[in-house]
PDB file of all heavy atoms in Angstrom:
ATOM      1  N   ILE B  22     -47.256 -12.289   2.245  1.00  0.00           N
ATOM      2  CA  ILE B  22     -46.812 -12.798   0.933  1.00  0.00           C
ATOM      3  C   ILE B  22     -46.846 -14.355   0.925  1.00  0.00           C
ATOM      4  O   ILE B  22     -46.265 -15.008   1.805  1.00  0.00           O
ATOM      5  CB  ILE B  22     -45.447 -12.306   0.695  1.00  0.00           C
ATOM      6  CG1 ILE B  22     -45.385 -10.782   0.583  1.00  0.00           C
ATOM      7  CG2 ILE B  22     -44.889 -12.982  -0.537  1.00  0.00           C
ATOM      8  CD1 ILE B  22     -45.500 -10.176  -0.730  1.00  0.00           C
ATOM      9  N   SER B  23     -47.486 -14.924  -0.143  1.00  0.00           N
ATOM     10  CA  SER B  23     -47.427 -16.347  -0.291  1.00  0.00           C
ATOM     11  C   SER B  23     -47.045 -16.632  -1.694  1.00  0.00           C
ATOM     12  O   SER B  23     -47.684 -16.185  -2.706  1.00  0.00           O
ATOM     13  CB  SER B  23     -48.847 -16.988  -0.040  1.00  0.00           C
ATOM     14  OG  SER B  23     -49.148 -16.907   1.291  1.00  0.00           O
ATOM     15  N   ILE B  24     -45.957 -17.321  -1.855  1.00  0.00           N
ATOM     16  CA  ILE B  24     -45.476 -17.613  -3.267  1.00  0.00           C
ATOM     17  C   ILE B  24     -44.948 -18.991  -3.252  1.00  0.00           C
ATOM     18  O   ILE B  24     -44.410 -19.523  -2.206  1.00  0.00           O
ATOM     19  CB  ILE B  24     -44.214 -16.709  -3.439  1.00  0.00           C
ATOM     20  CG1 ILE B  24     -44.614 -15.244  -3.703  1.00  0.00           C
ATOM     21  CG2 ILE B  24     -43.426 -17.175  -4.693  1.00  0.00           C
ATOM     22  CD1 ILE B  24     -43.462 -14.287  -3.834  1.00  0.00           C
ATOM     23  N   THR B  25     -45.159 -19.785  -4.378  1.00  0.00           N
ATOM     24  CA  THR B  25     -44.557 -21.111  -4.453  1.00  0.00           C
ATOM     25  C   THR B  25     -43.772 -21.149  -5.798  1.00  0.00           C
ATOM     26  O   THR B  25     -44.172 -20.534  -6.792  1.00  0.00           O
ATOM     27  CB  THR B  25     -45.665 -22.251  -4.571  1.00  0.00           C
ATOM     28  OG1 THR B  25     -46.588 -21.902  -5.622  1.00  0.00           O
ATOM     29  CG2 THR B  25     -46.409 -22.361  -3.284  1.00  0.00           C
ATOM     30  N   VAL B  26     -42.748 -21.912  -5.686  1.00  0.00           N
ATOM     31  CA  VAL B  26     -41.851 -22.198  -6.911  1.00  0.00           C
ATOM     32  C   VAL B  26     -41.720 -23.643  -7.029  1.00  0.00           C
ATOM     33  O   VAL B  26     -41.250 -24.268  -6.023  1.00  0.00           O
ATOM     34  CB  VAL B  26     -40.472 -21.485  -6.848  1.00  0.00           C
ATOM     35  CG1 VAL B  26     -39.686 -21.700  -8.069  1.00  0.00           C
ATOM     36  CG2 VAL B  26     -40.601 -20.004  -6.544  1.00  0.00           C
ATOM     37  N   ASN B  27     -42.191 -24.245  -8.147  1.00  0.00           N
ATOM     38  CA  ASN B  27     -42.012 -25.716  -8.328  1.00  0.00           C
ATOM     39  C   ASN B  27     -40.734 -26.087  -8.962  1.00  0.00           C
ATOM     40  O   ASN B  27     -40.070 -25.191  -9.604  1.00  0.00           O
ATOM     41  CB  ASN B  27     -43.210 -26.312  -9.106  1.00  0.00           C
ATOM     42  CG  ASN B  27     -44.511 -26.033  -8.469  1.00  0.00           C
ATOM     43  OD1 ASN B  27     -44.669 -26.353  -7.271  1.00  0.00           O
ATOM     44  ND2 ASN B  27     -45.453 -25.540  -9.200  1.00  0.00           N
ATOM     45  N   LYS B  28     -40.272 -27.237  -8.831  1.00  0.00           N
ATOM     46  CA  LYS B  28     -38.959 -27.684  -9.326  1.00  0.00           C
ATOM     47  C   LYS B  28     -38.979 -27.543 -10.854  1.00  0.00           C
ATOM     48  O   LYS B  28     -39.960 -27.825 -11.466  1.00  0.00           O
ATOM     49  CB  LYS B  28     -38.850 -29.218  -8.946  1.00  0.00           C
ATOM     50  CG  LYS B  28     -37.463 -29.747  -9.237  1.00  0.00           C
ATOM     51  CD  LYS B  28     -37.255 -31.085  -8.623  1.00  0.00           C
ATOM     52  CE  LYS B  28     -35.975 -31.814  -9.080  1.00  0.00           C
ATOM     53  NZ  LYS B  28     -34.807 -31.135  -9.168  1.00  0.00           N
ATOM     54  N   GLY B  29     -37.893 -26.956 -11.323  1.00  0.00           N
ATOM     55  CA  GLY B  29     -37.754 -26.810 -12.754  1.00  0.00           C
ATOM     56  C   GLY B  29     -38.432 -25.669 -13.438  1.00  0.00           C
ATOM     57  O   GLY B  29     -38.458 -25.413 -14.560  1.00  0.00           O
ATOM     58  N   GLU B  30     -39.018 -24.766 -12.556  1.00  0.00           N
ATOM     59  CA  GLU B  30     -39.760 -23.644 -13.085  1.00  0.00           C
ATOM     60  C   GLU B  30     -38.928 -22.423 -13.066  1.00  0.00           C
ATOM     61  O   GLU B  30     -37.937 -22.279 -12.376  1.00  0.00           O
ATOM     62  CB  GLU B  30     -40.976 -23.284 -12.109  1.00  0.00           C
ATOM     63  CG  GLU B  30     -42.215 -23.871 -12.512  1.00  0.00           C
ATOM     64  CD  GLU B  30     -43.324 -23.283 -11.584  1.00  0.00           C
ATOM     65  OE1 GLU B  30     -43.168 -23.149 -10.394  1.00  0.00           O
ATOM     66  OE2 GLU B  30     -44.487 -23.084 -12.132  1.00  0.00           O
ATOM     67  N   ILE B  31     -39.282 -21.454 -13.984  1.00  0.00           N
ATOM     68  CA  ILE B  31     -38.842 -20.028 -13.733  1.00  0.00           C
ATOM     69  C   ILE B  31     -39.953 -19.188 -13.281  1.00  0.00           C
ATOM     70  O   ILE B  31     -41.075 -19.279 -14.057  1.00  0.00           O
ATOM     71  CB  ILE B  31     -38.326 -19.362 -15.017  1.00  0.00           C
ATOM     72  CG1 ILE B  31     -37.126 -20.218 -15.562  1.00  0.00           C
ATOM     73  CG2 ILE B  31     -37.846 -17.982 -14.741  1.00  0.00           C
ATOM     74  CD1 ILE B  31     -36.490 -19.547 -16.897  1.00  0.00           C
ATOM     75  N   VAL B  32     -39.969 -18.735 -12.092  1.00  0.00           N
ATOM     76  CA  VAL B  32     -41.026 -17.890 -11.636  1.00  0.00           C
ATOM     77  C   VAL B  32     -40.531 -16.507 -11.468  1.00  0.00           C
ATOM     78  O   VAL B  32     -39.477 -16.284 -10.998  1.00  0.00           O
ATOM     79  CB  VAL B  32     -41.524 -18.445 -10.197  1.00  0.00           C
ATOM     80  CG1 VAL B  32     -42.599 -17.427  -9.666  1.00  0.00           C
ATOM     81  CG2 VAL B  32     -42.176 -19.796 -10.408  1.00  0.00           C
ATOM     82  N   THR B  33     -41.301 -15.476 -11.897  1.00  0.00           N
ATOM     83  CA  THR B  33     -40.910 -14.195 -11.829  1.00  0.00           C
ATOM     84  C   THR B  33     -41.773 -13.382 -10.875  1.00  0.00           C
ATOM     85  O   THR B  33     -42.919 -13.600 -10.695  1.00  0.00           O
ATOM     86  CB  THR B  33     -40.851 -13.365 -13.238  1.00  0.00           C
ATOM     87  OG1 THR B  33     -40.296 -12.197 -12.982  1.00  0.00           O
ATOM     88  CG2 THR B  33     -42.187 -13.391 -13.846  1.00  0.00           C
ATOM     89  N   LEU B  34     -41.131 -12.373 -10.207  1.00  0.00           N
ATOM     90  CA  LEU B  34     -41.742 -11.530  -9.282  1.00  0.00           C
ATOM     91  C   LEU B  34     -41.615 -10.067  -9.830  1.00  0.00           C
ATOM     92  O   LEU B  34     -40.394  -9.626  -9.958  1.00  0.00           O
ATOM     93  CB  LEU B  34     -40.955 -11.647  -7.964  1.00  0.00           C
ATOM     94  CG  LEU B  34     -41.703 -11.295  -6.627  1.00  0.00           C
ATOM     95  CD1 LEU B  34     -42.887 -12.116  -6.436  1.00  0.00           C
ATOM     96  CD2 LEU B  34     -40.656 -11.468  -5.514  1.00  0.00           C
ATOM     97  N   ILE B  35     -42.635  -9.439 -10.334  1.00  0.00           N
ATOM     98  CA  ILE B  35     -42.565  -8.139 -10.912  1.00  0.00           C
ATOM     99  C   ILE B  35     -43.222  -7.116  -9.974  1.00  0.00           C
ATOM    100  O   ILE B  35     -44.113  -7.403  -9.201  1.00  0.00           O
ATOM    101  CB  ILE B  35     -43.019  -8.078 -12.372  1.00  0.00           C
ATOM    102  CG1 ILE B  35     -44.427  -8.506 -12.419  1.00  0.00           C
ATOM    103  CG2 ILE B  35     -42.179  -8.894 -13.322  1.00  0.00           C
ATOM    104  CD1 ILE B  35     -44.980  -8.369 -13.799  1.00  0.00           C
TER     105      ILE B  35
END
Side-chain angles (χ1 to χ4, degrees):
Chain B
I22 297 267
S23 292
I24 289 173
T25 56
V26 182
N27 297 313
K28 191 168 165 48
E30 265 189 322
I31 301 183
V32 171
T33 183
L34 201 60
I35 57 177

